[in-house]
Amino acid sequence: MRYEYEDEVKVKGLSFDVWKRMMPYIRMMKRPFICAGVLIIFWTAINASFPLFTSYAVNNFIIPETTEGIVPFAALYLGFIIISSVGTYIWVKVLMRVENRIGQIVRRDCFIHLQKIQLAYHNTNSVGYLIGRVISDTERISSMISWGFTAVAEASLIIIFSIIYMFILSPPLALLLILIIPFAWVIAWIFQRKILVVSRKVREINSRITGAYNEGITGSKTSKTLVIEDVNSSEFAKLSDRMQRQSVRSSRLMAMMLPMIATMGSIALSIILFRGGLMVESNLLDFGVLAAFITYAVFTIEPVVWVSGVISEMVAAQVGVERVTGLLAEEITINDTPEVIEKYGDTFNPKRENWEKINGEITFDDVTFMYPDGDENVLENFTLDIPPGTTVAIVGETGAGKSTMVNLACRFYEPTGGRVLIDGRDARERSQLWLHSSLGYVLQQPHLFSGTIMDNIRYGKLDATDEEVIAAAKMVSANVVAERMPDGYDTEVGEGGDKLSTGEKQLVSFARAVLANPPIFVLDEATSSIDTETEQLIQDAISHILEGRTSFIIAHRLSTISHADIILVVEDGRIVERGTHSELLAAGGHYSELYQAMRLDETDI
């Protein structure tokens, strides 16, 4: 089994052009960022001044061996500590707020965009990919924006203030220490580039491991029935071994870098001690100043390690920025015009009072259609008028393209040529939500939401009473599902409805569609997952449910659609025959062949 993952974008280095894409979100938090910036400047200035206290204490208390004036000194020192602690508390609180808020806004925007985006996008992108973008990438991005950039600013300011204070104390020693800092930066830069390459490999393998977990859990039943647990375990072990090797390599590089940086710090300290000692001996420098310079040597070398590490994380997070901004920039190809939104509202702010009643007349007016990822037309100059209350059946072999026309009628896709008219008006002249609210759609593989049976049926009409829910359930025999459960309609269906059988989920989804009482019904292989006895019950109910409604029935079993007003036969994505059941049988074409073949299969059974 192969575990797929999305290739990492090979970013060569830190790119501010990439991070600029997040500026709209940074601007939303402008005031907290300004507050954090002021606090960082204030905090680093305070902390960089502590070696000055050390210098004063050595020169005025330790060397003279006196305590005179130590009380006001201690009080001032304590005051600085308190100010630094309070500043740190406020700073951390502000940045945590920024991190949480930016993460919340980006996740919200991604979720809303995914709700609006066309069906084709969801068909071509896996659930795992989208979840990774919305959850993992947004967490990393919000963390980097709040803590990463401020960490770089903090480290840089510590070095700057330390250098300023050092030049105030002793320009010759300060200049000597500054000459050592570039060597530490070079070492950090070389190792961080190597670590970054290895880290990318670790993340790629980690993506595969995540995919392995996902497939191992969701496909556990299939794995058991195919008896491939040993194969899965072997593949997973290989991934784990690769992860372990690359992680060890990354740790080894880090273990080499840190001592080398520390060595540079030790060299800097040795030079300060040697040169400073000579200056103290020659009375060119106070002993207290030398003590302060020892601390400043650490202050100017340690931030090099912080910054190099943060920059590596920022480079890694750039991949997430590109993915998230790419998702948000994904074009929504099925849009309502501003005029339509002004009158009918949008998906999240509907103006239902302006919605016209749908009668159910659907017209395909010279429609041509090609799927976004296709290279040839699926429909060409297709014209069909479906009067209100007409039942249209669409048949064909598996993969023939039976859902194309339904997707166009429901406006899940837009025609590349021609028009789809609803009640005589172009569907694009009214809102998508207006049309979708008038659809009752029952899928071959029904999806239930976490909650009770009652909750899932009520999704068809959110303000429905319990009595209305139960009545809808009885119409399609879904009451049988509830009655056999210990908690009845209050039974939890589990994630995706996994506590119910496929047939039981189908019955609940039928009841949900019936409760909505839509003028347009779509049954997409809706009875294929139900046993014969239950199917007969539903077929009896369907004849009443569809009465007076425009309906599309996508069916594999031809015996279930003989009553349809018009039957369309699809082959290789094209409509090759149309007519009633009797007309198509008399024509002796593809439909007649499919029907006779199916009757032979049923006879054999």
Side-chain angles (χ1 to χ4, degrees):
M1 182 180 297
R2 292 186 61 190
Y3 302 113
E4 299 296 335
Y5 66 99
E6 195 207 0
D7 291 331
E8 295 279 354
V9 180
K10 305 301 182 185
V11 184
K12 294 182 179 180
L14 184 63
S15 171
F16 287 103
D17 287 337
V18 174
W19 284 101
K20 274 167 37 178
R21 301 178 191 175
M22 301 305 297
M23 282 304 296
Y25 298 100
I26 295 174
R27 291 192 192 100
M28 291 181 186
M29 306 300 293
K30 181 169 62 175
R31 292 180 64 181
F33 269 120
I34 292 174
C35 177
V38 172
L39 287 170
I40 289 172
I41 296 173
F42 180 73
W43 182 83
T44 51
I46 292 291
N47 281 275
S49 68
F50 281 121
L52 301 179
F53 283 90
T54 303
S55 175
Y56 185 87
V58 169
N59 288 334
N60 293 277
F61 303 123
I62 297 175
I63 294 178
E65 297 183 355
T66 180
T67 59
E68 185 178 351
I70 198 170
V71 173
F73 172 83
L76 182 61
Y77 187 72
L78 179 61
F80 268 58
I81 292 176
I82 293 173
I83 293 171
S84 176
S85 300
V86 171
T88 302
Y89 168 77
I90 299 174
W91 173 36
V92 171
K93 184 178 179 180
V94 169
L95 289 183
M96 289 182 68
R97 179 190 168 201
V98 169
E99 179 183 13
N100 293 328
R101 182 60 177 156
I102 288 180
Q104 177 191 21
I105 296 172
V106 175
R107 283 191 294 271
R108 180 203 64 191
D109 287 354
C110 288
F111 185 82
I112 291 175
H113 194 70
L114 287 172
Q115 299 297 300
K116 293 180 177 179
I117 207 164
Q118 57 276 3
L119 189 63
Y121 183 81
H122 293 280
N123 290 340
T124 55
N125 290 278
S126 68
V127 174
Y129 166 78
L130 296 176
I131 290 176
R133 302 298 71 77
V134 175
I135 303 300
S136 301
D137 286 343
T138 53
E139 285 185 0
R140 180 183 288 184
I141 292 167
S142 60
S143 177
M144 277 296 104
I145 290 176
S146 55
W147 301 101
F149 286 99
T150 52
V152 172
E154 175 195 351
S156 302
L157 286 170
I158 286 177
I159 294 175
I160 291 170
F161 279 116
S162 296
I163 291 174
I164 291 172
Y165 291 146
M166 284 191 294
F167 268 101
I168 293 173
L169 294 173
S170 175
L173 275 185
L175 186 61
L176 191 62
L177 188 57
I178 289 172
L179 294 176
I180 300 172
I181 296 176
F183 292 99
W185 276 108
V186 170
I187 293 172
W189 180 76
I190 292 173
F191 274 91
Q192 284 300 335
R193 286 183 66 87
K194 294 180 180 294
I195 292 171
L196 183 60
V197 172
V198 178
S199 296
R200 283 200 184 104
K201 293 181 180 178
V202 171
R203 288 195 302 277
E204 289 176 358
I205 300 170
N206 186 60
S207 297
R208 292 190 177 193
I209 289 176
T210 302
Y213 269 114
N214 182 54
E215 291 193 4
I217 294 171
T218 58
S220 58
K221 181 182 288 187
T222 303
S223 296
K224 289 182 181 298
T225 55
L226 294 175
V227 196
I228 57 172
E229 293 95 334
D230 57 337
V231 176
N232 291 348
S233 297
S234 176
E235 291 290 337
F236 189 82
K238 290 178 182 178
L239 290 175
S240 298
D241 289 343
R242 288 186 60 194
M243 179 79 165
Q244 191 262 347
R245 288 196 300 271
Q246 295 297 337
S247 297
V248 168
R249 186 182 173 195
S250 177
S251 300
R252 187 184 300 120
L253 288 169
M254 183 65 74
M256 292 172 63
M257 181 188 74
L258 293 177
M260 292 187 72
I261 297 290
T263 300
M264 294 303 301
S266 299
I267 292 173
L269 187 59
S270 300
I271 293 174
I272 292 298
L273 287 172
F274 176 74
R275 179 58 181 166
L278 293 177
M279 293 176 69
V280 170
E281 188 177 9
S282 303
N283 293 321
L284 299 174
L285 189 72
D286 293 334
F287 194 81
V289 172
L290 178 60
F293 261 86
I294 293 173
T295 305
Y296 281 128
V298 177
F299 273 18
T300 52
I301 297 298
E302 280 190 350
V304 174
V305 181
W306 307 347
V307 172
S308 59
V310 170
I311 289 177
S312 293
E313 288 298 316
M314 290 173 65
V315 172
Q318 282 178 185
V319 176
V321 174
E322 293 184 340
R323 288 168 168 169
V324 169
T325 55
L327 167 60
L328 293 172
E330 186 70 32
E331 182 183 4
I332 300 176
T333 57
I334 303 179
N335 279 306
D336 291 332
T337 64
E339 293 78 15
V340 168
I341 294 174
E342 176 67 25
K343 180 176 181 180
Y344 297 101
D346 59 20
T347 302
F348 300 99
N349 300 284
K351 298 178 180 179
R352 297 179 184 272
E353 65 277 9
N354 294 333
W355 290 5
E356 297 91 345
K357 179 183 177 181
I358 291 183
N359 296 318
E361 180 186 0
I362 301 175
T363 302
F364 291 84
D365 181 19
D366 197 30
V367 170
T368 298
F369 176 71
M370 178 190 298
Y371 281 104
D373 55 349
D375 53 8
E376 63 178 30
N377 291 329
V378 176
L379 292 177
E380 283 189 8
N381 308 117
F382 174 69
T383 298
L384 177 68
D385 183 50
I386 303 173
T390 302
T391 297
V392 180
I394 307 173
V395 301
E397 297 176 347
T398 302
K402 298 188 291 293
S403 299
T404 300
M405 194 176 72
V406 172
N407 287 333
L408 289 169
C410 297
R411 209 182 167 197
F412 295 145
Y413 291 92
E414 298 274 38
T416 50
R419 301 180 301 165
V420 176
L421 307 177
I422 306 295
D423 291 345
R425 289 180 58 184
D426 193 323
R428 288 168 288 200
E429 295 179 7
R430 295 175 179 173
S431 73
Q432 297 176 65
L433 189 62
W434 167 82
L435 176 58
H436 296 164
S437 297
S438 300
L439 297 176
Y441 210 119
V442 182
L443 298 166
Q444 180 180 5
Q445 296 296 329
H447 178 80
L448 299 186
F449 299 94
S450 297
T452 65
I453 294 175
M454 180 76 75
D455 294 334
N456 273 276
I457 297 176
R458 187 175 277 120
Y459 274 116
K461 182 184 177 185
L462 295 176
D463 60 349
T465 64
D466 289 353
E467 290 74 20
E468 289 175 318
V469 170
I470 294 171
K474 288 180 177 179
M475 287 186 67
V476 292
S477 302
N479 61 306
V480 176
V481 179
E483 289 168 0
R484 69 170 61 129
M485 300 294 176
D487 296 325
Y489 286 94
D490 293 325
T491 300
E492 293 285 336
V493 301
E495 183 180 357
D498 58 5
K499 291 184 179 180
L500 304 182
S501 69
T502 303
E504 290 171 335
K505 288 191 289 186
Q506 192 66 283
L507 289 170
V508 172
S509 68
F510 256 102
R512 182 168 61 197
V514 167
L515 181 63
N517 193 29
I520 302 174
F521 244 104
V522 178
L523 306 181
D524 189 351
E525 300 276 10
T527 60
S528 62
S529 301
I530 299 175
D531 60 80
T532 306
E533 181 180 351
T534 306
E535 180 185 1
Q536 186 57 51
L537 293 174
I538 290 183
Q539 287 296 339
D540 294 338
I542 286 176
S543 62
H544 299 292
I545 294 168
L546 300 186
E547 188 174 349
R549 308 175 196 270
T550 304
S551 56
F552 295 90
I553 303 176
I554 300 174
H556 181 72
R557 302 178 191 175
L558 303 188
S559 57
T560 63
I561 48 89
S562 58
H563 65 283
D565 299 308
I566 182 171
I567 298 172
L568 303 176
V569 183
V570 180
E571 185 177 359
D572 296 328
R574 300 177 184 278
I575 296 173
V576 294
E577 295 179 31
R578 68 172 76 179
T580 63
H581 175 71
S582 57
E583 289 172 346
L584 292 174
L585 286 180
H590 189 63
Y591 178 83
S592 180
E593 293 175 2
L594 289 174
Y595 187 77
Q596 296 301 329
M598 188 164 295
R599 289 192 64 181
L600 287 174
D601 289 341
E602 291 174 354
T603 302
D604 292 340
I605 294 174

